[in-house]
Amino acid sequence: MTAAVDATTFDSLDPATGRVHSTWPVHTDAQVEAAVMRARAASGRWAELGFAGRKPHLNAWKAEIARRMQELAELVHAENGKPVPDALLEITLTVDHIAWATRNARRVLGPRRVRSGAMAANQAATLEYPPFGVVGVIGPWNYPVFTPMGSLAYALAAGNAIVFKPSEHTPAVGAWLVDAWRTANPGLADVMQLVTGFGPTGAALCRAGVDKIAFTGSAATGRKVMAACAEGLVPVLMECGGKDAMIVDDGADVAAAADAALWGAMSNAGQTCIGIERVYVTEGSYDAFVSEITARAAKLTPGSHDGASYGAITMPSQIGIIQRHIADALQHGGRALTGGVVDGPFVPPTVLVDVPEHSTAVTEETFGPTVTVTRVPDVEEALRRTNATTYGLAGAVFAKSSRKGVEIARRVRSGMTSVNGVITFATVPGLPFGGIGESGFGRIHGDDGLREFTRAKSITRQRFALPVALTSFDRPEKTTEQLRKVIKLLHGRG
Ligand code: NAD
């Protein structure tokens, strides 16, 4: 977390103690432009290396991170507040994603033949995906390694240079990742640039001549980023917030569902874009689920000590929002079965029941260790409520059979759903990650996540001349009539 010191620097704070962790420059518009120019100058060489040439450099970066992951995990703990084992899990997933992007870039983006079809039988058609050039990455603080890496690694593997602006709450983690790149690849240091600062530094990046912005953060900020990018028609990737729900059907393994819901809701102190903030449980499972989740929640111990279940709320301003959502739930007839009282950065695990659907605890992203559990008559009602949100990021389903679970998952209006598990889709590098509605658009991870940082380039090459050239002013008049007949024959019977 952060406090402004003066116009030129800012402090990153340890959320557990409020003490200054480190001090960083607030980069100006001119400094951001200079960083983009440095990245631009390096981008040509990086792109020209091709997939095979880039591979050893990406692998060297991955190895640097893997070798020093304990050091990075301790830094994440100090700046973001999460327990070191959770930071290690985040880094493990990150390393796996770098490996996947590196391994698959050529397969997904390399040149390929495309069938040219009857109308262009004399043409050889190819499709390839060259990089944009320079990609600006604006990151959040909640998963300061894993989340930006969905853009950093995939954009780099696609052949782009990067200008990275980490969150003002986790600049040291962002700088560590860039330093690791530079240590591993001293000859290609400029391929990854770092700029630090607040919103205006991010806005400057949108206007500094980058070829794409990959943004991860709140929908409210996303709108501002889009507006700034619109000025230069800069394409954007939007990874925004969510209000994800879990559906627990009759006959589901209630203990497993409660365990998963609790992890989804409370790990990282609930500061997870794909965290579970609502649970809809059908009649047959409700009572057992509530007693399971309550008993398990009571055992959680937030804190900064070894063995803490989760850490401090990273942004002090979020504590008030969590407080207000809980108060709103209680005021409208809800009950807190555990927790419910917020008086500092270590928010107790809060399981809320009987909360009406209009409460902000149900409608808005809380980003704290709270969850609402609501009884519904059947899966239809669970789906109706799950989908009654402007967000559409992810979610989870627990059902008696995995087949039924998948059927329900298909009907959840979101980008990702896990069945009989929680947030498992994020651990599969081949699966695209992203949402719909207020949760944003575009995808990181997987084939789509690689293509996101490229432009499709189509090329046709004439293999032989047709007896009659269709795209020529010398085309004989009768050709039109012949074409008409051919098209009628081919397509007129449907
Ligand atoms: P935020 O929107 O406050 O900030 C995100 C980033 O945008 C920061 O780096 C910030 O400095 C920058 N920024 C702020 N104003 C800007 C502007 N006008 N122009 C350009 N950049 C600007 O979000 P946050 O609090 O850091 O992160 C939490 C949010 O991120 C939550 O809503 C969470 O759900 C979401 N999130 C989404 C994903 C995902 O993949 N969908 C992942 C993690 C977090």
Side-chain angles (χ1 to χ4, degrees):
M1 60 184 186
T2 327
V5 174
D6 58 40
T8 56
T9 61
F10 67 100
D11 288 342
S12 160
L13 308 180
D14 178 337
T17 61
R19 282 198 287 271
V20 173
H21 174 272
S22 47
T23 301
W24 298 88
V26 175
H27 283 123
T28 61
D29 293 11
Q31 288 169 322
V32 173
E33 272 170 35
V36 172
M37 281 167 73
R38 285 194 297 276
R40 174 80 58 206
S43 65
R45 196 176 142 219
W46 181 239
E48 278 159 21
L49 281 176
F51 300 108
R54 288 192 290 268
K55 217 174 201 173
H57 299 289
L58 288 157
N59 282 335
W61 186 39
K62 178 191 72 173
E64 184 74 18
I65 296 171
R67 269 196 303 270
R68 294 165 56 198
M69 65 190 290
Q70 183 66 29
E71 173 195 327
L72 177 58
E74 281 163 22
L75 179 58
V76 171
H77 169 68
E79 219 183 20
N80 156 286
K82 74 181 66 179
V84 170
D86 285 359
L88 283 169
L89 180 62
E90 177 178 347
I91 298 162
T92 308
L93 288 177
T94 303
V95 167
D96 198 34
H97 274 276
I98 302 175
W100 193 92
T102 306
R103 244 188 354 259
N104 288 278
R106 182 202 286 276
R107 173 185 63 78
V108 179
L109 307 174
R112 76 195 52 183
R113 291 286 297 272
V114 173
R115 286 172 78 93
S116 44
M119 297 294 290
N122 66 327
Q123 302 290 328
T126 56
L127 169 62
E128 60 196 64
Y129 293 88
F132 280 115
V134 179
V135 172
V137 176
I138 301 177
W141 46 266
N142 58 339
Y143 288 85
V145 180
F146 181 69
T147 297
M149 196 56 81
S151 298
L152 298 175
Y154 288 72
L156 281 169
N160 298 280
I162 303 285
V163 182
F164 177 29
K165 194 208 93 60
S167 166
E168 56 271 38
H169 300 284
T170 50
V173 175
W176 194 100
L177 293 173
V178 175
D179 284 347
W181 168 267
R182 293 175 166 198
T183 305
N185 297 295
L188 287 160
D190 277 353
V191 167
M192 208 187 308
Q193 301 287 326
L194 175 80
V195 294
T196 52
F198 298 93
T201 302
L205 185 55
C206 299
R207 298 188 173 102
V210 293
D211 302 301
K212 176 145 189 169
I213 286 286
F215 168 79
T216 310
S218 61
T221 307
R223 287 186 170 81
K224 293 182 196 163
V225 168
M226 283 185 75
C229 287
E231 293 168 20
L233 281 185
V234 176
V236 289
L237 161 68
M238 285 281 134
E239 291 287 353
C240 303
K243 189 71 186 175
D244 292 345
M246 174 184 285
I247 294 174
V248 184
D249 191 16
D250 282 6
D253 180 339
V254 168
D259 180 49
L262 202 60
W263 171 264
M266 314 284 173
S267 61
N268 205 29
Q271 305 168 114
T272 304
C273 56
I274 49 172
I276 299 296
E277 299 211 354
R278 306 174 286 155
V279 186
Y280 295 109
V281 193
T282 54
E283 280 294 343
S285 294
Y286 182 81
D287 290 336
F289 179 87
V290 168
S291 56
E292 276 284 347
I293 195 167
T294 309
R296 287 165 188 262
K299 291 187 203 145
L300 297 185
T301 51
S304 196
H305 55 279
D306 278 354
S309 313
Y310 57 81
I313 298 300
T314 310
M315 288 194 301
S317 58
Q318 196 67 27
I319 297 171
I321 295 173
I322 299 166
Q323 239 162 1
R324 279 200 294 283
H325 286 189
I326 294 174
D328 192 75
L330 301 181
Q331 202 184 323
H332 289 101
R335 291 179 296 133
L337 299 183
T338 62
V341 179
V342 181
D343 59 2
F346 299 104
V347 175
T350 300
V351 176
L352 297 161
V353 294
D354 302 336
V355 183
E357 292 293 289
H358 61 77
S359 167
T360 50
V362 176
T363 58
E364 291 178 16
E365 188 180 47
T366 306
F367 236 48
T370 70
V371 67
T372 61
V373 182
T374 305
R375 185 198 297 267
V376 287
D378 52 29
V379 161
E380 289 306 314
E381 182 61 10
L383 275 165
R384 196 185 65 72
R385 295 188 187 204
T386 294
N387 291 338
T389 169
T390 52
Y391 289 112
L393 193 53
V397 175
F398 274 77
K400 189 173 178 185
S401 72
S402 43
R403 192 180 147 171
K404 174 99 188 279
V406 171
E407 277 169 21
I408 299 168
R410 290 207 170 99
R411 296 177 62 199
V412 175
R413 186 186 157 278
S414 75
M416 304 159 282
T417 305
S418 53
V419 174
N420 295 342
V422 71
I423 64 180
T424 41
F425 43 78
T427 66
V428 180
L431 278 178
F433 184 108
I436 57 173
E438 296 261 322
S439 296
F441 51 83
R443 293 294 182 265
I444 54 172
H445 304 174
D447 291 9
D448 302 71
L450 282 165
R451 285 200 197 102
E452 192 71 41
F453 297 104
T454 61
R455 63 196 157 89
K457 175 74 181 177
S458 305
I459 298 175
T460 48
R461 175 177 53 80
Q462 181 161 297
R463 293 190 295 140
F464 55 86
L466 288 176
V468 177
L470 295 177
T471 52
S472 165
F473 289 114
D474 294 337
R475 187 179 65 207
E477 260 177 43
K478 64 174 187 198
T479 316
T480 310
E481 180 54 21
Q482 285 166 343
L483 258 184
R484 200 182 57 77
K485 282 187 182 148
V486 170
I487 290 300
K488 201 169 157 190
L489 198 68
L490 284 177
H491 300 289
R493 282 173 295 182

